[in-house]
Amino acid sequence: MKTLTLNVKGMTCGHCKSAVNGALAELEGIDNVEVNLETGKVDVSFDETKVDETKMKEAIEEQGYDVA
Amino acid sequence: MKTLTLNVKGMTCGHCKSAVNGALAELEGIDNVEVNLETGKVDVSFDETKVDETKMKEAIEEQGYDVA
């Protein structure tokens, strides 16, 4: 299991938090997601044999947020 | 059919707009809802024999927003 922190821009409320959380949680290989609305930081633990940062970024961007 | 404008506080994003729109649209007697995210103004046209401002405020507050 590996961890990384994504910097997500544009999350403003609890719905945004849920949208990002849900989009990541749906990916295969994601173990845990922690979204911090105030800082925009999203901590993810994942199985690096099943998912990578590119896929996570795509999932978040599909929800309408930018990943720095 | 009657119209009124509610001033809703705390809507920050498209999800918030959808939440308020959806909560009002579910009420019986609501004809049309227009949510302006920037101003917080929500224009509603409704059948005053079926729904009133109190019910609308309650529906919005249940979603976690304040109505001024």
Side-chain angles (χ1 to χ4, degrees):
Chain A
M1 205 63 67
K2 203 174 163 182
T3 63
L4 66 77
T5 300
L6 298 162
N7 289 292
V8 180
K9 291 180 180 178
M11 297 188 296
T12 54
C13 73
H15 298 117
C16 296
K17 185 175 173 172
S18 297
V20 170
N21 203 329
L24 290 173
E26 277 181 13
L27 296 176
E28 199 192 339
I30 298 289
D31 177 54
N32 191 55
V33 181
E34 293 281 341
V35 179
N36 185 315
L37 204 51
E38 286 71 35
T39 62
K41 292 193 184 303
V42 179
D43 296 315
V44 188
S45 60
F46 60 101
D47 180 341
E48 70 266 43
T49 66
K50 292 186 180 165
V51 68
D52 59 20
E53 189 170 345
T54 301
K55 283 180 187 166
M56 295 181 213
K57 284 184 176 178
E58 283 173 1
I60 294 170
E61 286 166 357
E62 273 174 19
Q63 296 296 317
Y65 305 97
D66 290 326
V67 182
Chain B
M1 206 61 70
K2 203 174 165 183
T3 63
L4 67 77
T5 299
L6 298 163
N7 289 292
V8 180
K9 292 180 181 177
M11 297 188 296
T12 54
C13 74
H15 298 116
C16 296
K17 185 174 174 172
S18 296
V20 169
N21 204 329
L24 290 173
E26 278 181 12
L27 296 176
E28 199 191 340
I30 298 290
D31 177 53
N32 192 55
V33 181
E34 293 282 341
V35 179
N36 185 315
L37 204 51
E38 285 70 35
T39 62
K41 292 194 184 301
V42 179
D43 296 315
V44 188
S45 60
F46 61 101
D47 181 341
E48 70 266 42
T49 66
K50 292 186 179 166
V51 68
D52 59 19
E53 190 170 344
T54 302
K55 283 180 188 166
M56 295 181 213
K57 285 185 176 177
E58 283 172 1
I60 294 170
E61 286 168 357
E62 273 174 17
Q63 296 296 318
Y65 306 97
D66 291 326
V67 183

